[in-house]
Amino acid sequence: MFGYKSAVPKVRLTTDRMVLRLVHDRDAHRLAEYYAENRVFLKPWEPVRDESHCYPSGWQARLGLISEMQKQGSAYYFILLDPDENRVMGVANFSNVLRGSFHACFLGYSLGQEWQGKGLMQEALQSLIRYMQRQQKMHRIMANYMPHNKRSGQLLERLGFEREGYAKDYLLIDGKWQDHVLTALTWQEWTPPSR
C-alpha cells in the first residue's frame, strides 16, 4: 500500500568466509554482544553511544525501528557473521535510501577488533554493494571517512569509491565534530527498476 513493501525482505548472502544477512528482531543479543566486546575499539570512529547499545533490551527497541525502515525500503542493516552464524564479526548499513531521480544511499560499516587486517570488510562490502546495485537498483552509494582513518580510505578506494569532496565539521563522532572526506561509487550499468 502507498508504495511501501509489505514485509521485511529476507536477504542472506554468503562469501568465502562469512554469511551476510539483514538484521531481524532475534539479533538483539548478538548485536549487544558485538558492541559490548568492541566498545573501546569502536569508540573513536562512532557517535557517542549510550549504555543501551551494549544490552539486548536496548537493541530490541532499535531493531523494531530498523525492521520498519527495511520494510519501507529506506534502509538496509546487515550483520556479518562467521560461517556457522554464531558470532557477529561486523556490521554494514545502507541508510537514507532514496529513489526517484536519485537512487542513492549512504554506506556505514564497522568490523570487530578481532577481525581486523584480514580483508573481511572488503569481502563483505563487495557482495553487499553488488546486492544494493543489482537488487535495490542503487546508482550511487556514498561513504564518508575521517581523514585520519587511513584504513577506511584505502578500503573505499579499493572498492572503487572516488573522492568527491571534503566536509568540515561534518559528523559528531566520539563527542567531537569531525571533518570527513566525501566519496561515492556510481554504477555505470544502472538500469531503471522494472515496474
Side-chain angles (χ1 to χ4, degrees), residues 10-80:
K10 305 264 189 281
V11 180
R12 184 180 181 278
L13 308 169
T14 57
T15 70
D16 289 342
R17 299 179 286 172
M18 288 173 286
V19 172
L20 318 169
R21 68 164 173 75
L22 287 175
V23 296
H24 52 65
D25 56 2
R26 293 182 308 278
D27 288 323
H29 283 32
R30 288 178 175 186
L31 286 163
E33 185 176 280
Y34 170 75
Y35 282 100
E37 283 177 6
N38 293 287
R39 172 187 266 173
V40 174
F41 177 70
L42 295 176
K43 185 178 180 294
W45 315 110
E46 296 197 334
V48 172
R49 306 282 191 199
D50 64 32
E51 289 296 312
S52 72
H53 226 68
C54 296
Y55 293 99
S57 57
W59 272 99
Q60 214 51 60
R62 267 184 215 90
L63 287 169
L65 294 171
I66 290 169
S67 176
E68 200 52 43
M69 288 187 288
Q70 290 178 161
K71 278 183 198 174
Q72 294 174 5
S74 63
Y76 299 89
Y77 286 76
F78 290 90
I79 53 175
L80 288 50

Side-chain angles (χ1 to χ4, degrees), residues 128-144:
L128 294 172
I129 288 167
R130 189 167 40 253
Y131 166 79
M132 290 302 293
Q133 290 173 331
R134 295 179 181 168
Q135 303 304 312
Q136 296 304 323
K137 294 295 191 177
M138 291 294 101
H139 172 252
R140 178 181 186 77
I141 299 173
M142 297 167 285
N144 308 316

Side-chain angles (χ1 to χ4, degrees), residues 162-179:
E162 295 180 23
R163 183 181 169 138
E164 293 190 327
Y166 190 92
K168 302 282 290 167
D169 294 340
Y170 186 67
L171 290 176
L172 188 59
I173 302 294
D174 195 22
K176 300 179 288 269
W177 287 105
Q178 300 277 353
D179 296 356

